[in-house]
Amino acid sequence: MHSAQLPRAVFAMDPVHLPLLFPDPLMARLRRTARIDPSLVVRDLTAPSAASALARAEVLITGWGCPHLDAGALNAAPGLRAVLHAAGSVRSLVGDALWERGITVSSAVTGNALPVAEYTLAMILLTGKDTFAHRERYRATHAYPTPAETATTGNLGRRIGIIGASRVGRRLLDLLRPYDFEVLLHDPYVDAAEAVALGARPVSLEDLLRRSDIVSLHAPDIPETYRMLDRDRLALIRDGGVLINTSRGALVDHDALTDELLSRRLSAVLDVTDPEPLPAASPLYGLPNVFLTPHIAGSLGNELERLGRIVVDELERLAAGLPLGHEVRHADLTRVA
């Protein structure tokens, strides 16, 4: 394709992410596919310095740090026909104005789902072995555990409850297949036959909470899921149960969860919290039954290249007039995380 026929593209994200998303070989592919200036990375879509580039842009390559694409931002790019998102969910990025204009949206959310699922699998295996509690005891006693202290330890037949067959949830279900787990699934959009095909037994949310040893959250952050694990539902989790949250902190009543954790009735692996980060005085930082990480389950470091690769593939398909492989539709945002 002659260079004059290539679509004009503009980066819209925090520039700190650009080198890891698009290392030199990927950037070279981008520049063969679109007219794009790697030195121009826009964070304020209404800034005068960005006006000229956006006025001619047909494609926005977005990522973490891109502002919400509201009507004002879209007015700066009247020729825009596609948004290719080099990150996860586009829920906070796009709104009604974009859908009303019929702009195509693609996201690397499937690429970001893999490290989240991998992180969750690792935490399921570690908590099933009671790894964190054994580590604390070993630090304190310098002694091997007694048989009584390991009587309930192990992953054979452990019952895992997955809340949400989102992209992350589905990745995780696939990763769980080789292990000797019993897997339960709650997702109102998944019927019994599909749940079984995914390797899980479909159950209600309340049954999942009552029956699971380890509960892992993978539902989308939408109004219907706000505080879905409230005080009453958290109380359904069996004594000694574990909650893993790699979705969003808003899905859990934070005060109720804190009370459960302070009582030591439950344990938790929390990569996300509400608020995020937690206040410095939060008791969760010091509890031995809480494993806190700073929102690291998603793509980090060299994993960002996977997201960039998806975007470059999508841009090549767009330039060739082919259907996109990772297109996001408005309806998807009610069930995808």
Side-chain angles (χ1 to χ4, degrees):
M1 184 182 295
H2 190 275
S3 62
Q5 298 175 299
L6 298 177
R8 292 185 181 274
V10 174
F11 289 117
M13 64 180 73
D14 186 332
V16 72
H17 301 303
L18 204 65
L20 288 173
L21 285 167
F22 303 103
D24 289 345
L26 279 181
M27 187 63 77
R29 280 178 59 192
L30 261 182
R31 300 188 73 177
R32 288 195 296 269
T33 310
R35 287 174 285 175
I36 191 165
D37 181 357
S39 67
L40 176 62
V41 185
V42 177
R43 291 199 66 177
D44 181 355
L45 299 178
T46 60
S49 59
S52 176
L54 291 173
R56 296 176 294 165
E58 299 167 76
V59 179
L60 277 185
I61 298 177
T62 60
W64 292 296
C66 181
H68 181 70
L69 298 178
D70 57 16
L74 293 174
N75 287 341
L80 186 66
R81 58 189 179 96
V83 173
L84 308 182
H85 193 50
S89 173
V90 298
R91 192 172 287 107
S92 63
L93 179 70
V94 302
D96 291 343
L98 184 138
W99 300 117
E100 289 166 3
R101 274 187 44 180
I103 294 170
T104 298
V105 179
S106 171
S107 171
V109 64
T110 54
N112 198 49
L114 178 57
V116 180
E118 291 172 338
Y119 172 103
T120 308
L121 173 64
M123 294 302 168
I124 287 171
L125 293 170
L126 288 171
T127 55
K129 294 286 281 189
D130 206 14
T131 302
F132 306 122
H134 284 306
R135 176 176 180 264
E136 293 297 319
R137 283 194 290 267
Y138 196 30
R139 275 179 159 181
T141 67
H142 302 170
Y144 282 3
T146 66
E149 289 173 323
T150 61
T152 59
T153 297
N155 282 311
L156 177 62
R158 188 74 69 181
R159 189 174 287 154
I160 313 300
I162 307 299
I163 300 176
S166 60
R167 288 187 174 94
V168 174
R170 288 167 187 262
R171 280 278 200 172
L172 177 60
L173 287 165
D174 194 46
L175 293 178
L176 289 171
R177 288 180 185 274
Y179 298 94
D180 291 319
F181 293 130
E182 179 183 352
V183 182
L184 307 180
L185 172 67
H186 172 71
D187 189 311
Y189 296 97
V190 174
D191 62 26
E194 185 180 8
V196 171
L198 290 169
R201 181 184 303 175
V203 293
S204 69
L205 178 57
E206 287 71 20
D207 275 352
L208 183 147
L209 296 171
R210 289 189 190 99
R211 297 167 58 187
S212 299
D213 301 304
I214 300 171
V215 175
S216 192
L217 264 176
H218 303 287
D221 182 9
I222 55 178
E224 291 79 5
T225 61
Y226 180 75
R227 300 291 192 264
M228 67 184 300
L229 295 191
D230 57 15
R231 190 172 296 274
D232 290 342
R233 283 176 170 158
L234 288 171
L236 296 176
I237 301 176
R238 61 179 57 182
D239 290 357
V242 180
L243 175 67
I244 300 175
N245 191 1
T246 58
S247 182
R248 288 292 184 269
L251 275 60
V252 183
D253 181 330
H254 177 75
D255 291 340
L257 178 60
T258 299
D259 289 344
E260 291 280 13
L261 296 171
L262 284 169
S263 76
R264 309 295 177 91
R265 194 182 75 80
L266 302 179
S267 298
V269 174
L270 304 175
D271 188 54
V272 292
T273 55
D274 184 26
E276 193 173 71
L278 291 172
S282 170
L284 299 192
Y285 286 115
L287 287 179
N289 55 324
V290 179
F291 190 81
L292 277 176
T293 52
H295 208 141
I296 61 167
S299 298
L300 290 177
N302 62 21
E303 294 165 336
L304 294 179
E305 183 178 343
R306 182 187 289 122
L307 309 185
R309 193 182 307 137
I310 289 172
V311 165
V312 174
D313 289 345
E314 292 287 79
L315 185 60
E316 289 174 346
R317 295 179 71 84
L318 186 72
L322 299 173
L324 300 185
H326 298 269
E327 185 172 353
V328 177
R329 301 185 188 280
H330 195 185
D332 296 336
L333 300 185
T334 62
R335 59 173 296 182
V336 175

